[in-house]
Amino acid sequence: MTLPLAELPTRARQLREQTLANARHVQHLQQLARKEKDVIKLNCVNDKLVQIKPQLNIVDSTASELEGSTDATRMDMMAIFGNLSQATENVRQLREEADQCIGEPITGGGESLNSFTGPQAPDDPTKGFTDKPIEPPGYASPFD
């Protein structure tokens, strides 16, 4: 799908707003982790925020470049827009990863990580054995 050149600045603004909303959401998750005083969650979310910051810089610079480039060729503008789209997608992915840090369910496809229910073992380990009593463990000799 190719966008007309006239729509690129409008779409760039939409992507920029979406990216900023995702960054604000991750900052909100950071505040939640601080409020819970959960260091592990906070470190995980902080890691995602550190990764989001350079992507925000890319989004800002490419969106500004796209809005200000009136004499650029179509190929140049599409390349700039591609960089903007990639940075926006990276921020969206980092937001999903930050949601996972806090414990939000995964919104993407695939199997859920929470589907594991435990091993398929009997509750009573002595069930199904013979009537002989279980021998106690041997103790280590101090002379070995």
Side-chain angles (χ1 to χ4, degrees):
M1 177 180 122
T2 58
L3 291 173
L5 288 179
E7 289 183 26
L8 285 180
T10 304
R11 184 71 179 130
R13 279 191 294 277
Q14 291 172 346
L15 290 176
R16 188 179 197 176
E17 290 169 9
Q18 177 185 355
T19 302
L20 291 174
N22 286 336
R24 281 191 301 272
H25 177 76
V26 175
Q27 288 173 338
H28 172 72
L29 294 177
Q30 181 187 41
Q31 294 303 318
L32 288 176
R34 279 192 182 134
K35 193 174 188 179
E36 290 178 13
K37 297 181 181 178
D38 191 329
V39 178
I40 295 172
K41 289 179 182 179
L42 183 60
N43 284 341
C44 183
V45 173
N46 283 342
D47 179 52
K48 302 309 171 197
L49 271 175
V50 166
Q51 294 177 46
I52 285 175
K53 300 251 183 204
Q55 297 297 322
L56 286 175
N57 291 339
I58 292 170
V59 168
D60 286 340
S61 65
T62 54
S64 298
E65 189 177 351
L66 197 60
E67 289 175 7
S69 62
T70 55
D71 60 343
T73 66
R74 177 170 179 77
M75 294 294 279
D76 291 341
M77 290 185 78
M78 290 308 289
I80 294 169
F81 186 77
N83 292 340
L84 175 67
S85 298
Q86 183 61 47
T88 301
E89 177 62 24
N90 291 344
V91 172
R92 185 199 58 78
Q93 176 129 17
L94 288 167
R95 175 193 170 151
E96 287 182 2
E97 291 173 10
D99 284 338
Q100 291 174 20
C101 290
I102 297 296
E104 297 288 324
I106 301 171
T107 57
E111 291 185 23
S112 172
L113 295 176
N114 298 328
S115 63
F116 181 73
T117 58
Q120 301 299 322
D123 290 336
D124 185 7
T126 61
K127 220 179 231 183
F129 289 104
T130 62
D131 291 333
K132 294 181 188 176
I134 297 177
E135 184 178 321
Y139 294 99
S141 170
F143 301 108
D144 280 341

